[in-house]
């Protein structure tokens, strides 16, 4: 394999597998920008993926699969909203509980179906809608053609959602209200903004987007339920850290997804790179366990560096993770 083909294959894999991070990150940004720290991303993505996949296979429809994933994720968002916004429960505890519950329910349903678990191949329309698209001469551009212009439609959907979310938060009245609630809910309340409605709306929409990310991973893996690991495989936790890396900007999360994706993909693509570029042979000598841990090590480094460096342009919402008690205004 030539160097050009190896790089093209590597970049394609980086985007194709890790785009699910973008769904999780954008969804979490909407949650956090409204002042809610949702640590349930992993569980929400797992169950959103499971629910969307089963609905998509049952209806043989990508639209219904996406809708199902969004609704399942949204239901978890509704639960999170009710407990943390209405009942004022601790956000960290509820988020972790949702992750635990979501993963447990994922395994309960998958193992419960057993041999009846639907095969992706038995839903031809659903499967066909996930296949890469061909954009003609754009797909033939060396190296980047295959990586950028020969992906599944769900890859472009993720990018579109990130751009729309960025415009929504920055350029619309509803986005301004969301940011106001995340910065100073008391002041926003005084200005007549319905704090509860803003939080519910952004949390539910955000978790719905996370659910679509889980569905993407399930489809990318061919809908195979192994029973030993979730489709998300820790991506929900990485997405939470990626929010910080992207400085709470949905559009910046597109680049952040690519950067983090390099570490996720390196293990599976190292042989392709070494075959074309022998000087990278040292990659094969690195233990597989280190490759598996590398994304989480990078995540920890990002969190540490971000905490130490007080960036002047930090977009972190001031009231993130804090419940709003109107009586204390």
């Amino acid at each position: 394999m030539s160097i050009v083909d190896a790089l093209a294959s590597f970049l394609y894999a980086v985007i194709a597998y890790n785009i699910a991070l973008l769904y999780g990150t954008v969804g979490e940004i909407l949650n956090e920008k409204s002042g809610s720290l949702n640590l349930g991303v992993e569980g929400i993505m797992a169950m959103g993926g499971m629910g969307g996949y089963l609905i998509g296979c049952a209806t043989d429809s990508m639209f219904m699969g996406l809708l199902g994933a969004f609704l399942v994720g949204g239901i978890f968002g509704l639960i999170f909203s009710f407990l943390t916004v209405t009942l004022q429960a601790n956000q960290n505890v509820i988020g972790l509980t949702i992750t635990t519950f979501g993963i447990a329910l994922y395994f309960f349903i998958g193992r419960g179906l057993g041999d009846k678990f639907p095969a992706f191949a038995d839903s031809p329309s659903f499967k066909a809608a996930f296949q890469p698209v061909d954009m003609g001469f754009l797909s033939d551009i060396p190296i980047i053609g295959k990586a950028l212009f020969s992906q599944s439609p769900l890859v472009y959907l993720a990018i579109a959602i990130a751009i729309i979310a960025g415009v929504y938060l920055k350029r619309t009245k509803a986005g301004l209200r969301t940011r106001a609630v995340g910065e100073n809910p008391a002041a926003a309340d005084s200005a007549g903004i319905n704090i509860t409605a803003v939080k519910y709306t952004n949390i539910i929409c955000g978790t719905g987007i996370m659910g679509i990310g889980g569905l993407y991973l399930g489809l990318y893996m061919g809908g195979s339920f192994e029973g030993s690991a979730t489709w998300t495989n820790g991506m929900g936790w990485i997405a939470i850290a990626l929010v910080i890396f992207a400085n709470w900007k949905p559009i910046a999360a597109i680049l952040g997804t690519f950067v983090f994706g390099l570490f996720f993909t390196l293990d599976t693509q190292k042989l392709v790179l070494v075959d074309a570029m022998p000087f990278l042979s040292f990659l094969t000598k690195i233990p597989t366990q280190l490759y598996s841990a590398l994304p989480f090590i990078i995540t920890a480094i990002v969190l540490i560096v971000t905490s130490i460096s007080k960036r002047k342009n930090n977009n972190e919402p001031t009231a993130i993770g804090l419940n709003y008690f109107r009586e204390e205004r």
Side-chain angles (χ1 to χ4, degrees):
M1 180 180 292
S2 67
I3 294 179
V4 171
D5 290 339
L7 290 176
S9 178
F10 177 66
L11 292 177
Y12 177 85
V14 168
I15 296 174
Y17 177 57
N18 298 286
I19 199 67
L21 277 174
L22 185 57
Y23 282 106
T25 302
V26 172
E28 180 64 10
I29 288 176
L30 291 179
N31 278 238
E32 295 191 12
K33 274 298 190 179
S34 65
S36 295
L37 178 61
N38 188 350
L39 299 180
V41 183
E42 181 78 5
I44 293 170
M45 289 182 70
M47 265 312 298
M50 177 63 75
Y53 177 76
L54 294 178
I55 292 173
C57 287
T59 59
D60 193 19
S61 167
M62 177 60 76
F63 175 78
M64 293 304 297
L66 291 172
L67 180 62
F70 185 89
L71 290 177
V72 171
I75 290 172
F76 277 87
L78 179 62
I79 295 172
F80 180 85
S81 299
F82 177 72
L83 293 175
T84 61
V85 178
T86 302
L87 300 184
Q88 301 290 321
N90 184 282
Q91 295 179 21
N92 294 331
V93 173
I94 298 304
L96 293 173
T97 301
I98 285 179
T99 282
T100 303
F101 175 70
I103 293 176
L105 190 57
Y106 168 91
F107 284 118
F108 176 79
I109 294 175
R111 291 171 180 170
L113 289 174
D115 295 337
K116 296 182 180 179
F117 194 84
F120 196 23
D122 293 337
S123 303
S125 297
F126 189 31
K127 183 177 181 180
F130 183 70
Q131 300 308 306
V133 297
D134 186 358
M135 297 189 181
F137 72 93
L138 292 176
S139 301
D140 297 328
I141 299 174
I143 301 181
I144 65 170
K146 179 181 179 181
L148 300 181
F149 305 109
S150 298
Q151 298 282 357
S152 165
L154 267 63
V155 170
Y156 305 112
L157 176 63
I159 296 173
I161 288 175
I163 294 173
I164 292 171
V167 173
Y168 158 73
L169 289 173
K170 192 73 173 178
R171 302 295 181 184
T172 68
K173 183 180 293 185
L176 176 61
R177 291 174 177 172
T178 298
R179 290 188 285 124
V181 170
E183 290 295 331
N184 192 329
D189 194 5
S190 300
I193 297 175
N194 189 326
I195 305 299
T196 300
V198 169
K199 282 182 172 288
Y200 265 76
T201 300
N202 284 278
I203 291 172
I204 292 173
C205 287
T207 54
I209 294 172
M210 296 175 197
I212 296 177
L215 173 62
Y216 177 88
L217 281 173
L219 299 183
Y220 180 81
M221 297 178 184
S224 58
F225 178 80
E226 298 178 356
S228 59
T230 62
W231 289 330
T232 52
N233 194 30
M235 277 203 173
W237 296 112
I238 302 296
I240 295 174
L242 189 49
V243 170
I244 302 173
F245 184 84
N247 200 19
W248 288 268
K249 296 179 180 179
I251 296 178
I254 298 174
L255 176 61
T257 297
F258 179 79
V259 173
F260 271 68
L262 290 174
F263 302 107
F264 260 119
T265 314
L266 200 54
D267 185 26
T268 58
Q269 294 292 310
K270 60 187 177 186
L271 294 180
V272 173
L273 294 175
V274 171
D275 181 58
M277 295 169 278
F279 62 88
L280 295 178
S281 59
F282 67 91
L283 293 176
T284 60
K285 299 177 182 178
I286 299 176
T288 301
Q289 293 81 357
L290 180 58
Y291 279 114
S292 300
L294 194 56
F296 301 97
I297 294 174
I298 299 300
T299 299
I301 294 174
V302 168
L303 293 176
I304 293 172
V305 171
T306 304
S307 299
I308 294 176
S309 61
K310 304 293 184 179
R311 291 184 293 180
K312 295 181 180 180
N313 61 339
N314 194 335
N315 288 310
E316 179 181 6
T318 304
I320 186 172
L322 303 177
N323 291 333
Y324 172 59
F325 296 92
R326 193 175 194 186
E327 295 76 9
E328 297 179 356
R329 188 177 63 181

